[in-house]
């Protein structure tokens, strides 16, 4: 078909407790206004734990240790971007440990695009829009069931399944090899793009990658 969208593979590095990853994910996936509007996307998700020191029952955001002025600028920038992209970021005062959520998302990658996509979106929305603690096992059980994951797979992820942990370790190793130093980050063709960048920049990288593939 002459009007078919060209295929494009993107490697995306994210954590579900990173609000800029929430916005970055939408900028990839939205069929209108996202990179998916222009390309037939295949996304390889790489789950990177950014704050392993955080307890699963949560802790105050202030404990992350950012200087107040820097934090205020970050939040102003975040809310401005979220407003432009139509993403709800609720005011909250806590953060949590994301390890179990990352294992659950990794397990969902084996269950097909539909189940993974539902869980992927619900993890972000639960934490940032609904102020839920995605470090809490009961919250993750509910989100997993609602996405369509079977109970055995959910419980394995929450229990720290060794195979899932090994896969998370490989994501971290890949990030180190590629020079990924923060999330979100994307690899498109031979370009590493760091941060919550505009769709226009992602699209230029995609078009460069396709031109390179054609020789």
């Amino acid at each position: 078909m002459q009007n078919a969208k060209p295929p494009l593979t993107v490697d995306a590095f994210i954590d579900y407790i990173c609000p800029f990853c929430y916005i970055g994910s939408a900028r990839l996936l939205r069929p209108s206004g996202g990179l998916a509007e222009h390309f037939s996307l295949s996304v390889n998700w790489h789950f990177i734990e950014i704050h392993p020191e955080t307890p699963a029952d949560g802790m105050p955001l202030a404990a992350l240790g950012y200087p107040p002025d820097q934090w205020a600028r970050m939040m102003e920038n975040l809310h401005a971007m979220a407003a432009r992209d139509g993403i709800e970021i609720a005011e909250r005062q806590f953060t949590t440990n994301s390890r179990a959520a990352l294992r659950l998302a990794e397990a969902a990658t084996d269950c097909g695009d539909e189940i993974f996509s539902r869980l992927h979106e619900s993890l972000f929305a639960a934490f940032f829009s609904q102020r839920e603690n995605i470090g809490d096992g009961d919250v993750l059980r509910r989100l997993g069931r609602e996405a369509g994951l079977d109970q055995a797979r959910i419980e394995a992820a929450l229990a720290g399944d060794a195979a899932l942990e090994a896969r998370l370790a490989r994501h971290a190793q890949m990030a180190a090899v590629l020079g990924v130093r923060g999330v979100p980050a994307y690899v498109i063709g031979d370009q590493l793009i760091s941060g919550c960048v505009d769709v226009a920049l992602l699209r230029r990288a995609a078009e460069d990658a396709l031109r390179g593939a054609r020789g």
Side-chain angles (χ1 to χ4, degrees):
M1 292 177 58
Q2 191 171 12
N3 295 325
K5 292 185 286 189
L8 178 71
T9 298
V10 176
D11 287 276
F13 297 80
I14 64 164
D15 192 344
Y16 289 104
I17 61 168
C18 168
F20 296 100
C21 292
Y22 191 10
I23 297 169
S25 173
R27 291 178 177 180
L28 277 182
L29 298 177
R30 280 186 172 167
S32 177
L35 196 63
E37 180 177 356
H38 308 285
F39 303 92
S40 178
L41 279 187
S42 175
V43 181
N44 298 321
W45 297 101
H46 303 282
F47 307 112
I48 305 296
E49 186 181 18
I50 58 174
H51 286 297
E53 74 283 0
T54 307
D57 57 356
M59 71 179 191
L61 283 169
L64 292 175
Y66 288 95
D69 289 349
Q70 180 185 355
W71 182 258
R73 289 193 300 272
M74 285 173 57
M75 292 303 99
E76 182 179 3
N77 187 32
L78 168 66
H79 287 287
M81 287 194 293
R84 287 197 304 271
D85 285 51
I87 293 172
E88 181 184 357
I89 303 288
E91 293 292 342
R92 60 190 174 82
Q93 299 300 321
F94 79 99
T95 187
T96 193
N97 187 284
S98 61
R99 191 73 179 188
L102 299 182
R103 285 196 302 268
L104 190 64
E106 183 64 41
T109 63
D110 297 329
C111 300
D113 289 344
E114 185 174 345
I115 287 176
F116 173 78
S117 295
R118 284 199 295 264
L119 181 68
H120 176 77
E121 178 61 28
S122 70
L123 285 169
F124 278 130
F127 192 55
F128 291 110
S129 302
Q130 295 142 23
R131 299 192 184 97
E132 294 193 80
N133 181 1
I134 61 168
D136 182 88
D138 289 338
V139 171
L140 292 174
R141 286 184 181 92
R142 192 193 80 240
L143 296 177
R145 288 193 300 269
E146 290 173 351
L149 284 164
D150 64 86
Q151 197 65 36
R153 198 180 296 268
I154 293 170
E155 294 302 332
L158 298 186
D161 179 79
L164 295 174
E165 281 290 336
R167 286 159 63 171
L168 293 185
R170 288 196 290 272
H171 292 318
Q173 290 163 2
M174 181 176 179
V177 168
L178 292 172
V180 173
R181 293 182 173 83
V183 294
Y186 316 92
V187 176
I188 303 177
D190 59 1
Q191 294 187 52
L192 171 62
I193 302 167
S194 299
C196 187
V197 299
D198 290 339
V199 174
L201 192 155
L202 296 172
R203 187 175 178 184
R204 286 197 296 273
E207 289 168 347
D208 289 345
L210 292 177
R211 280 194 293 271
R214 297 186 190 108

